[in-house]
Amino acid sequence: MNYNTQNAKIASITEKTLIIGIDVGSETHYARAFSWRNYEYSKKPFAFSNDEAGFAAFKEWMDDIAEKLEMEVIIPGMEPTGHYWLNLGAYLQAQGMKPVHVNPHHVKKSKELDDNNPSKNDRKDPKTIAGLVNEGRFSYPYIPTGIYAEIRNLSNLRIQTQEEITRIKNRMARWFSIYFPEIKDVYRNPDAVSGLMVIKQAALPCDIRELGVEGVNKIWRDARLKGAGIKRATTLVTAAEHSIGNTEAPRSARKEIRNLLEDYEGYKKRMDELMEEIEKTLSEIPYIDKLMKINGIGIKTVSCFIAEVGDIGRFDNPKQVQKLAGYAIVADSSGKHNGESRISHRGRKRLRYYLHSEVGQIMTTKLERISELSKQHPEMKFNSIGHLINIEMLKECHYKMDGRKAVGIDGISKEEYNSNLDNNLKQLVEKLKNKSYRPRPARKVEMPKENGKTRPLSIYSYEDKLVQEAL
């Protein structure tokens, strides 16, 4: 991917470039043509429909203008308005053009420059969009093709299916809280397999009481279900006998939970089929085996990563993926926030979520395993756990720190540490890895309480607080 600077984008627009501003709509699009000096060649907005005939007429209109004016390059610019631009963008790309995107927020703010009026209309917006393209304020959209388009669609289907499953589970939890609230004392999760088996045949507490312990246990035995027996059946029946659940409208209540169970099983089956298809499709990616070898990373994460990033070979630098996810570091250089850094959050939200959750999960799992081993084997000694902490993890901890609190015993505040953040964290990680890191002794102070007594407070250095937060 060629992430050009704004100057490079401006330089790519010459006197032989025809700029087309397009206002994308659900059924009808509007376009205007401009030169590199923002001189308009179109007498009025060209309207074309969102179909094959409309696209062909639009291309013929652009080609006529380009031929008359001896233009060599056509740059169509548009806002990424929902999904309406996708077919038009793919068509233009297939015709050998490079459609570009402008930020809708920039369009909204820029449209008042000409007439000091925030109004929106089909004539005004294409001009504003073309003006932003002319200034180099655009980006090149990535439209996946082939196997990468398949993975993106499959990943989206999986996420949509998971959202439906979550909604159904929430509705099931609501139903249980109304008609059988005591079931939470028997099952931690409302979708437990053994519990749903019983609810299918005996939905309400009165039905479970009538079924009895032997009847409940028979359901599980007939299904050859392991892990559920007389003890669990007794607990379930006892909970039903002491239930305070609503007893009104039992027929509709039974109908409601059975409908929910049917929907739940249907979506679970759909999810299993999607996961099989995703796994099969991922096997066609050349580098998939390398991604799957990363500890703690599974098919869901890999599929989402490829769905959002596409062909990773189009990137020249890992920082480009970081920027795409919205993890680029930005800093304020004026006012009271001078020197403070933060992540931009300007990128693909879903990619950022998965990168954050999976990296955090990997680190948490490793640290939890160490905690578990230390409890099971008090005599066990760990030479070092510093290798589990990296720069990205410490940087996230740094951003979470409250900069309003008093400075530590080293006299360094969050703002001061932030002024040379990357170098500071690099040195800290090196000390952790080579085992030369030594926490400073904390200063003990007594803080007064409202009742006249005091409470002890330990004051640490800033880096010690970072390491503590990481662990």
Side-chain angles (χ1 to χ4, degrees):
M1 177 182 289
N2 184 13
Y3 274 88
N4 293 325
T5 63
Q6 186 177 358
N7 284 341
K9 293 174 182 175
I10 293 173
S12 68
I13 300 173
T14 67
E15 58 184 9
K16 293 294 185 180
T17 302
L18 179 66
I19 301 171
I20 307 294
I22 308 170
D23 181 32
V24 175
S26 59
E27 297 180 358
T28 305
H29 313 303
Y30 296 88
R32 295 172 69 177
F34 296 85
S35 72
W36 69 304
R37 298 289 301 273
N38 276 341
Y39 178 82
E40 184 170 7
Y41 295 123
S42 49
K43 295 181 180 180
K44 62 179 182 179
F46 179 78
F48 60 101
S49 57
N50 189 35
D51 54 31
E52 183 182 16
F55 288 176
F58 175 52
K59 184 177 184 303
E60 183 179 354
W61 176 77
M62 288 190 295
D63 290 341
D64 286 344
I65 296 177
E67 185 178 354
K68 288 178 183 178
L69 301 172
E70 298 182 350
M71 296 294 184
E72 298 175 355
V73 179
I74 300 175
I75 301 181
M78 65 191 81
E79 294 177 275
T81 311
H83 59 276
Y84 298 128
W85 71 274
L86 289 173
N87 292 335
L88 177 60
Y91 174 82
L92 294 172
Q93 188 170 271
Q95 300 302 317
M97 303 180 202
K98 284 188 176 180
V100 299
H101 279 171
V102 297
N103 191 323
H105 180 70
H106 295 168
V107 176
K108 183 177 181 180
K109 293 297 183 182
S110 302
K111 64 173 60 179
E112 299 184 39
L113 294 177
D114 291 334
D115 56 7
N116 197 32
N117 191 327
S119 62
K120 175 180 176 62
N121 57 66
D122 300 329
R123 179 174 180 81
K124 189 174 183 179
D125 285 1
K127 181 180 180 181
T128 305
I129 292 168
L132 290 170
V133 172
N134 208 354
E135 294 172 0
R137 305 183 191 280
F138 62 84
S139 61
Y140 296 102
Y142 172 65
I143 304 176
T145 58
I147 193 66
Y148 298 102
E150 290 283 0
I151 292 174
R152 175 171 286 190
N153 287 344
L154 286 171
S155 179
N156 289 338
L157 284 173
R158 185 194 66 78
I159 292 171
Q160 292 167 10
T161 303
Q162 184 58 56
E163 289 174 350
E164 290 298 330
I165 291 174
T166 302
R167 290 190 187 98
I168 294 170
K169 288 172 67 174
N170 290 338
R171 291 172 62 189
M172 287 167 59
R174 175 186 176 275
W175 187 93
F176 283 123
S177 67
I178 295 173
Y179 296 102
F180 193 6
E182 293 77 13
I183 198 171
K184 68 179 182 297
D185 299 325
V186 184
Y187 295 104
R188 186 165 52 184
N189 297 318
D191 59 337
V193 175
S194 60
L196 296 185
M197 281 184 178
V198 176
I199 296 300
K200 277 185 184 179
Q201 299 187 33
L204 297 172
C206 61
D207 301 328
I208 296 175
R209 291 196 300 267
E210 184 178 341
L211 198 61
V213 174
E214 291 299 329
V216 171
N217 190 47
K218 185 176 184 302
I219 293 174
W220 297 334
R221 296 287 70 80
D222 292 343
R224 299 181 181 277
L225 183 67
K226 296 181 180 180
I230 291 294
K231 185 177 179 180
R232 176 60 62 86
T234 302
T235 306
L236 181 60
V237 172
T238 302
E241 290 173 347
H242 297 86
S243 177
I244 59 167
N246 189 354
T247 58
E248 296 297 329
R251 285 184 296 177
S252 59
R254 292 186 185 98
K255 182 65 175 175
E256 181 182 0
I257 191 61
R258 284 168 185 161
N259 288 345
L260 288 173
L261 290 176
E262 287 178 8
D263 292 343
Y264 178 74
E265 290 177 350
Y267 277 105
K268 289 288 285 186
K269 181 180 179 182
R270 184 181 300 179
M271 176 64 80
D272 293 338
E273 293 171 351
L274 280 171
M275 291 306 299
E276 288 180 9
E277 186 65 27
I278 287 173
E279 186 173 5
K280 178 182 176 182
T281 309
L282 283 175
S283 64
E284 302 178 35
I285 302 293
Y287 50 83
I288 191 65
D289 55 330
K290 295 180 180 179
L291 290 177
M292 294 302 296
K293 286 180 181 178
I294 301 174
N295 291 333
I297 300 297
I299 292 177
K300 291 181 181 179
T301 303
V302 171
S303 64
C304 183
F305 178 80
I306 295 177
E308 295 298 308
V309 172
D311 183 6
I312 201 170
R314 67 193 181 97
F315 294 96
D316 303 318
N317 192 298
K319 287 190 176 180
Q320 294 172 352
V321 180
Q322 180 183 358
K323 183 176 180 181
L324 180 66
Y327 273 129
I329 306 300
V330 296
D332 296 319
S333 57
S334 64
K336 63 181 181 180
H337 300 292
N338 184 24
E340 286 193 11
S341 298
R342 65 187 189 280
I343 61 174
S344 65
H345 289 98
R346 295 289 179 89
R348 299 189 73 86
K349 181 173 66 174
R350 192 173 287 171
L351 175 61
R352 185 167 62 250
Y353 167 78
Y354 271 88
L355 289 176
H356 178 273
S357 62
E358 289 303 320
V359 170
Q361 183 62 37
I362 292 171
M363 299 306 299
T364 302
T365 302
K366 289 182 177 179
L367 293 173
E368 285 178 348
R369 178 59 178 162
I370 290 174
S371 176
E372 180 183 337
L373 288 173
S374 64
K375 290 177 181 178
Q376 294 176 354
H377 307 283
E379 74 284 356
M380 183 178 288
K381 294 182 179 180
F382 299 94
N383 294 328
S384 172
I385 59 174
H387 63 282
L388 297 178
I389 304 176
N390 55 33
I391 291 179
E392 294 304 321
M393 185 180 187
L394 289 171
K395 189 174 289 187
E396 185 175 341
C397 294
H398 167 74
Y399 294 138
K400 290 181 179 179
M401 299 287 278
D402 189 350
R404 296 170 296 180
K405 290 186 176 180
V407 297
I409 57 174
D410 54 356
I412 298 177
S413 65
K414 178 181 179 180
E415 184 177 338
E416 290 176 276
Y417 197 82
N418 191 80
S419 61
N420 193 21
L421 181 61
D422 289 336
N423 189 47
N424 288 336
L425 294 181
K426 182 179 179 181
Q427 293 179 8
L428 178 56
V429 169
E430 287 177 356
K431 287 190 287 185
L432 288 167
K433 287 184 176 180
N434 62 29
K435 303 178 185 179
S436 64
Y437 168 75
R438 296 291 183 274
R440 298 190 182 192
R443 185 171 73 236
K444 305 288 185 179
V445 296
E446 296 292 330
M447 299 296 292
K449 298 170 66 175
E450 293 182 359
N451 59 6
K453 297 181 179 181
T454 60
R455 63 180 179 88
L457 178 67
S458 298
I459 301 178
Y460 301 92
S461 69
Y462 188 79
E463 283 195 341
D464 290 343
K465 289 191 286 186
L466 275 182
V467 176
Q468 289 175 15
E469 178 71 22
L471 295 175

